[in-house]
Amino acid sequence: MIPSSLLTALRSARRLVVFTGAGVSAESGIPTFRDALTGLWQRFDPAALATPEAFRRDPALVWGWYEWRRMKVLQAQPNPAHHAIAELARHVAEFTLITQNVDDLHERAGSDAVIHLHGSLQQPRCFACARSSTTPLAVPNEPEDGRRVEPPRCTHCGGRLRPGVVWFGESLPATALNAAFDAARQCDLLISVGTSGVVYPAAEVPHLAWTSGAVVVHINPQAAARQAEREFVLRGPAGEELPELLRQAFGRALGARG
Ligand code: BJW
Ligand code: ZN
């Protein structure tokens, strides 16, 4: 049941922000990080794979793991949550999509100008000289976790390429982070979808919107009960809750034209 006050807030919002985490891609078959049983960090040690020290220690292990994840994303399709978010943008004057995800499923669902706070699997750069690689990555071989793959070399300096993602202890891209914070401060309504909200500074985004006076909605099957005024919880999978929110607020079913 979607509260009518939330539907009213969404219909009257002029500046809408959607902030997504791994849960928005879960129904596309991309594992989250921290879900019990299925999360990546249940099977893999973040310290051994998602830090600069890990890459320095064993570049082939880290590169192979990210190639496995890149393959999974290439094989995946956007789900109804990604499509509903792309459709929501058409109903407001100003729309900003901020994601922590390193996949490209929002773009493939039709969203543009997506702010990627934690980088992208598709844009490696040199570990030595930091230049972006201009050579497109080849389609990886059949996915197989744990397979070691030597990273390609930088065409400029010969250093190893690293995945273009933000690891623990690394700064987020400043332009993306500033744009995300600005949008959060200025929005009327923020929808936070599929994130555990434990990784900083990204986790500040919904909080910043709320303290700046916006209505904040959390969409998550594990969401805690509503805690504060102007805060709503839609407890359920994003692929069901977002299309339903769209339908009830704007009377639009996904895929409807005209
Ligand atoms: C569904 C669903 C469905 C399921 N529908 N929902 C204390 C000690 C050490 C460090 C720190 C510390 N305190 C803070 C820090 C800093 C650290 C941090 O935050 N650590 C905490 C974990 C403690 N942060 C950093 O290091 C950041 N950098 C930084 O702070 O720089 C400054 C600095 C400089 C120098 C030194 C120190 C600091 C960088 C963080 C980078 C995070 N990178 C990762 C990996 C990216 C690359 C990759 O993909 O491998 O980003 S970690 C991982 O977590 C990934 C995600 O973007 C991020 C957030 O996860 P997310 O998206 O929320 O996923 P989950 O799995 O946690 O949650 C999924 C949710 O979906 C769940 O709630 C489910 O219920 C839900 N769900 N199915 C809707 N169908
Ligand atoms: Zn280089």
Side-chain angles (χ1 to χ4, degrees), residues 20-27 31-35 39-41 49-50 65-66 69 100-102 118 121 165-172 193-202 219-223 236-239:
T20 65
V24 79
S25 297
E27 289 155 83
T32 63
F33 294 92
R34 297 173 184 80
D35 275 277
L40 287 169
W41 297 157
L49 293 162
W65 188 67
Y66 279 95
R69 290 190 39 213
Q100 299 166 84
N101 297 346
V102 295
H118 292 160
L121 284 172
V165 303
V166 181
W167 284 325
F168 287 109
E170 293 189 310
S171 299
L172 277 64
V193 187
T195 178
S196 56
V198 298
V199 175
Y200 284 83
I219 299 182
N220 194 316
Q222 305 292 335

Side-chain angles (χ1 to χ4, degrees), residues 126 128-131 154 156-159:
C126 179
C129 76
R131 283 187 174 79
C154 170
H156 181 78
C157 78

Side-chain angles (χ1 to χ4, degrees), residues 97-99 101-104 107 114-120 173 176:
L97 175 53
I98 306 164
T99 189
N101 297 346
V102 295
D103 65 46
D104 61 352
E107 284 87 348
V114 184
I115 298 175
H116 280 269
L117 290 180
H118 292 160
S120 160

Side-chain angles (χ1 to χ4, degrees), residues 22 25-32 69 72-74 76 103 105:
S25 297
E27 289 155 83
S28 295
I30 308 295
T32 63
R69 290 190 39 213
K72 284 189 87 64
V73 170
L74 283 172
D103 65 46
L105 295 178

